Amino acid sequence: MSRNRLDRRFAELAKEGRAAFVAYIMAGDPNAATAQAILDGLPAAGADVIELGLPFSDPMAEGPTIQRAAQRALKAGMTVAGTLAMVAQFRRRDADTPIVLMGYLNPILSKGYERFAAEAHLAGVDGLIMVDCPPEEADPLADALEAHDISLVRLATPTTDDKRLPAVVRRASGFVYYVSVAGVTGVKLADADTVAPAVARVKAASGLPVAVGFGIRTPEKAAEVARVADGVVVGSALVDEIAGGLDEISGAPNENVTERVLSLAAALAKAVRSARVRTA
Amino acid sequence: MTTPVTAKPNDWTAYPDATGRFGDYGGRYVAETLMPLVLDLDGAYEAAKADPAFQSELNGYLTHYVGRPSPLYFAARLSEKFGARIWLKREELNHTGAHKINNCMGQILLAMRMGKTRIIAETGAGQHGVATATVCARFGLPCVVYMGAVDVERQKPNVFRMNLLGAEVRPVTSGAATLKDAMNEAMRDWVTNVADTYYLIGTAAGPHPYPAMVRDFQSVIGTEIREQILKEEGRLPDAVVACVGGGSNAIGTFHPFLADESVRIFGVEASGHGLDTDKHAASLTGGRPGVLHGNKTYLLQDADGQILDAHSISAGLDYPGIGPEHSWLHDVGRAQYLTCTDNEALAAFQYTAQLEGIIPALESSHAIAKLGEVVERVGRDSVIVLTLSGRGDKDVNTVANALGLTI
């Protein structure tokens, strides 16, 4: 059933003639309870798909914002099991919004692919993005996930040329994540003019919706990308709101941190929704 | 999950396979942005390896700039102490004072052949950073070295050396601010500057082809040992010994002997304050397989797969992983890996200085400290070659501190 959650959501949005707003937060940042409150509030704020970061000690593709989020989450005790518990909790209130976990391979390998896939399916996870698992290394993980109806979402980047693209989208399902810039998360800005042809290329090769992420920080930029892609991922900007809502000395979250994040999410969602005039 | 490989191969030297694996270890676990670059590097290295002009250029620099071959020296007083014939492979006499330059020279020639115009590197103690800065100066390429802020503080002379050589040293404050964090930051730079930048990795780890390529460039050590010991003793050694952090001097020493079944192979990991504490760097003995920095290998990690900070008195061994070929040699039993504490290494540092007039690097002191154990396993009067990977001048402050002295 869960794979259908992603397929269903993208199909509905295609019918509406608009892109998906994909909101990213880190599981357990700044602590389990606050992260849960933010996660639970995201659908009402307008998130169509949620990416939930799995904290890792050595996040090699992340800029400073997400690195610090991972450190906060780990310090507050977040684990793979804790992340799955957050998803299970979310599913009690929301049966429809797809959740994709995003992180690095070692914690999943450590748990065991098969065991992870089974537990993630039970919790209500729909997809997995593994930053450091290119297609050449992905088959064992993809096998385990497929058996439990979870999509292994593939990443395409500006360095993925036409020769390589078929290998990248082989066995892809759910959607393809197009990394708009060569770089780490949250630093360089995406450029809609160069993103548009890349999205078209990836879409043609994969036959799947293409969501664009890395370097989208503002409602304006989100709207720009929403005109040319099937999904717009915003992560670092939302996580910055969490960081900005922490007490400078104790690091404890202020009362309004959830509100701050959800209000930026709502502005981003609105921008994505109004970016395209209905065509279908 | 991970099943250790137990089948012994027909040819120990035939690895990695086409996918960059040594048994179950190695591979290419990098972000998609880097994957095309890693594949390009693989092709470029294979072409260079097969090109006599490249090899001859490299050999020229190794002879006249690095100062190879390095001597194989009969350590008479260590021999007396341990009751065996101990030979030291004097890598500490290379230009820049360690084996690191063998690899840097090979990789910088490759980088230029690939048309790359900017070099980045990570460093722990600063030895690889100094060697990289050295070859960048020699060939006029800009060089950025990532170094953990903690290491910048404890290895100030090497930071100054790198600056003198024209390199920019960028302190890394993320994580524990040591070698693994420096490596993370170098990978972030690489993924951001894909067009012009070459990442010059200092050890036999990382995504394929790095573990094989660094091993090949360091195998000059073992190849020379073979020739030299045959000339001196008229036979192969009974054992070769080297310290292992990432494991580049060790794999360079071991690889040319893998097919010689009479030669026992011993690596020595750093066990810091002891294996029963959380302050050590013995990935094989105290860790389990996982994926980090582009390869599958033994890692220090917690129950949830988070990478742990390593500890060793020797900054060059202070890394929570190890090159994938060592993981494989460990699993299949071709090499034995011993462990050495900070205190044992400190003792070896001092007695080697006093017995042989050679101040060894703290890294190499770990290997020396286990000579007694090696002799016990191989037998008295056996012929043992130990790679003295670096000189200890850089460590005098650390050692003085550990002994409670002020310089």
Side-chain angles (χ1 to χ4, degrees):
Chain A
M1 282 304 286
S2 61
R3 166 118 26 106
N4 293 340
R5 221 156 13 218
L6 271 171
D7 293 344
R8 212 159 47 223
R9 181 53 53 96
F10 277 105
E12 285 162 13
L13 297 178
K15 236 186 245 169
E16 280 181 43
R18 68 172 181 89
F21 168 49
V22 184
Y24 171 101
I25 60 165
M26 176 69 75
D29 173 35
N31 57 45
T34 309
Q36 186 78 53
I38 297 169
L39 178 65
D40 290 347
L42 279 172
D48 300 301
V49 176
I50 296 170
E51 272 182 31
L52 188 59
L54 284 158
F56 182 51
S57 53
D58 295 80
M60 281 156 285
E62 313 299 345
T65 293
I66 309 282
Q67 287 174 42
R68 285 195 286 263
Q71 281 176 359
R72 286 193 296 267
L74 290 173
K75 204 173 158 201
M78 189 43 65
T79 58
V80 174
T83 304
L84 296 180
M86 279 184 69
V87 177
Q89 176 75 20
F90 174 88
R91 281 278 168 254
R92 290 162 150 194
R93 311 158 49 121
D94 186 314
D96 301 319
T97 307
I99 293 192
V100 178
L101 301 184
M102 181 167 186
Y104 294 78
L105 195 58
N106 200 52
I108 307 298
L109 181 67
S110 173
K111 198 172 189 61
Y113 292 160
E114 173 55 36
R115 189 174 148 208
F116 170 80
E119 291 178 14
H121 174 75
L122 273 182
V125 171
D126 305 286
L128 183 69
I129 302 175
M130 284 283 102
V131 177
D132 56 352
C133 188
E136 283 82 350
E137 305 289 356
D139 279 343
L141 178 59
D143 290 345
L145 293 175
E146 251 172 39
H148 294 278
D149 205 16
I150 297 174
S151 296
L152 181 57
V153 174
R154 304 308 171 108
L155 296 141
T157 73
T159 58
T160 312
D161 59 18
D162 283 331
K163 197 175 119 215
R164 184 167 166 73
L165 191 51
V168 168
V169 300
R170 190 180 67 90
R171 301 188 71 176
S173 64
F175 64 99
V176 177
Y177 188 128
Y178 182 71
V179 174
S180 67
V181 295
V184 294
T185 48
V187 178
K188 288 185 190 171
L189 280 188
D191 172 10
D193 290 341
T194 57
V195 162
V199 168
R201 202 161 60 89
V202 175
K203 207 170 162 152
S206 66
L208 289 171
V210 177
V212 175
F214 282 44
I216 302 168
R217 300 191 60 88
T218 59
E220 294 71 33
K221 181 63 77 179
E224 207 181 291
V225 174
R227 281 181 207 109
V228 299
D230 304 304
V232 179
V233 188
V234 180
S236 294
L238 292 170
V239 174
D240 276 339
E241 287 302 306
I242 297 177
L246 301 180
D247 184 273
E248 275 183 33
I249 295 159
S250 71
N254 294 330
E255 276 168 26
N256 64 350
V257 63
T258 304
E259 203 177 294
R260 276 180 74 146
V261 178
L262 294 179
S263 111
L264 176 60
L268 289 161
K270 194 174 158 208
V272 169
R273 276 160 207 264
S274 56
R276 268 190 265 168
V277 212
R278 191 168 169 155
T279 51
Chain B
M1 191 189 69
T2 305
T3 320
V5 181
T6 46
K8 291 197 166 99
N10 293 321
D11 179 0
W12 299 93
T13 63
Y15 293 78
D17 65 16
T19 63
R21 288 194 179 261
F22 305 87
D24 196 34
Y25 302 105
R28 288 185 271 239
Y29 296 90
V30 294
E32 172 59 23
T33 308
L34 291 178
M35 202 56 204
L37 282 76
V38 165
L39 293 171
D40 270 359
L41 177 61
D42 193 11
Y45 175 58
E46 284 305 316
K49 198 165 129 182
D51 180 355
F54 177 82
Q55 294 300 338
S56 135
E57 189 185 13
L58 174 56
N59 286 335
Y61 285 114
L62 289 179
T63 304
H64 300 290
Y65 190 71
V66 175
R68 303 209 70 90
S70 66
L72 184 70
Y73 160 75
F74 181 69
R77 298 189 67 197
L78 281 177
S79 294
E80 200 179 317
K81 177 177 170 71
F82 290 107
R85 297 183 61 76
I86 310 286
W87 294 83
L88 299 179
K89 178 60 172 168
R90 302 287 303 274
E91 289 298 300
E92 99 281 12
L93 294 177
N94 292 337
H95 181 40
T96 73
H99 70 289
K100 292 290 185 189
I101 190 104
N102 302 331
N103 166 49
C104 288
M105 189 55 81
Q107 285 200 53
I108 194 120
L109 295 179
L110 180 63
M112 290 189 294
R113 201 180 146 103
M114 292 176 74
K116 301 292 181 182
T117 55
R118 175 176 177 267
I119 305 294
I120 59 171
E122 83 294 338
T123 197
Q127 293 308 99
H128 173 59
V130 167
T132 305
T134 298
V135 296
C136 287
R138 170 61 187 79
F139 295 103
L141 290 176
C143 175
V144 172
V145 179
Y146 290 93
M147 188 169 182
V150 168
D151 290 334
V152 167
E153 202 47 46
R154 63 181 174 181
Q155 303 285 344
K156 278 184 184 160
N158 272 342
V159 175
F160 186 67
R161 274 187 198 109
M162 286 184 267
N163 289 333
L164 268 179
L165 292 160
E168 181 196 341
V169 179
R170 293 193 187 160
V172 176
T173 53
S174 59
T178 57
L179 179 55
K180 89 176 164 75
D181 309 290
M183 201 151 176
N184 290 336
E185 209 54 39
M187 296 194 96
R188 290 179 188 123
D189 181 314
W190 197 21
V191 86
T192 307
N193 299 289
V194 288
D196 63 347
T197 296
Y198 183 93
Y199 181 16
L200 207 162
I201 295 184
T203 195
H208 178 68
Y210 283 100
M213 175 170 70
V214 175
R215 172 199 71 198
D216 292 349
F217 289 139
Q218 292 294 2
S219 286
V220 66
I221 302 173
T223 305
E224 286 178 6
I225 293 175
R226 244 189 115 80
E227 276 175 33
Q228 292 167 319
I229 198 76
L230 282 172
K231 194 168 155 220
E232 297 286 348
E233 293 275 3
R235 67 178 182 91
L236 291 175
D238 298 301
V240 290
V241 188
C243 63
V244 187
S248 69
N249 93 83
I251 204 68
T253 301
F254 300 167
H255 195 259
F257 292 101
L258 288 181
D260 300 307
E261 295 208 357
S262 69
V263 180
R264 303 271 302 269
I265 294 174
F266 295 95
V268 181
E269 296 193 283
S271 53
H273 293 186
L275 284 173
D276 53 347
T277 72
D278 61 357
K279 291 204 177 310
H280 66 79
S283 327
L284 289 177
T285 315
R288 62 190 169 94
V291 167
L292 180 71
H293 293 149
N295 57 184
K296 186 171 189 184
T297 192
Y298 276 77
L299 300 171
L300 301 181
Q301 53 184 314
D302 71 11
D304 208 41
Q306 305 295 339
I307 307 305
L308 298 171
D309 294 321
H311 164 84
S312 168
I313 189 168
S314 143
L317 304 180
D318 199 348
Y319 179 68
I322 185 167
E325 193 164 7
H326 288 293
S327 291
W328 176 68
L329 293 173
H330 168 72
D331 276 9
V332 296
R334 177 64 188 96
Q336 271 74 55
Y337 293 86
L338 314 175
T339 62
C340 168
T341 64
D342 287 353
N343 286 338
E344 290 172 311
L346 275 169
F349 183 92
Q350 295 169 83
Y351 63 65
T352 305
Q354 286 158 18
L355 290 176
E356 295 291 348
I358 295 171
I359 301 178
L362 273 172
E363 290 79 4
S364 323
S365 301
H366 283 72
I368 297 167
K370 291 289 123 173
L371 276 170
E373 202 172 324
V374 170
V375 173
E376 255 174 48
R377 291 178 185 227
V378 182
R380 282 186 74 82
D381 303 323
S382 53
V383 174
I384 296 168
V385 179
L386 181 145
T387 296
L388 195 69
S389 56
R391 67 177 183 223
D393 310 49
K394 68 180 176 62
D395 295 316
V396 293
N397 280 313
T398 307
V399 172
N401 282 339
L403 299 175
L405 306 169
T406 320
I407 296 182

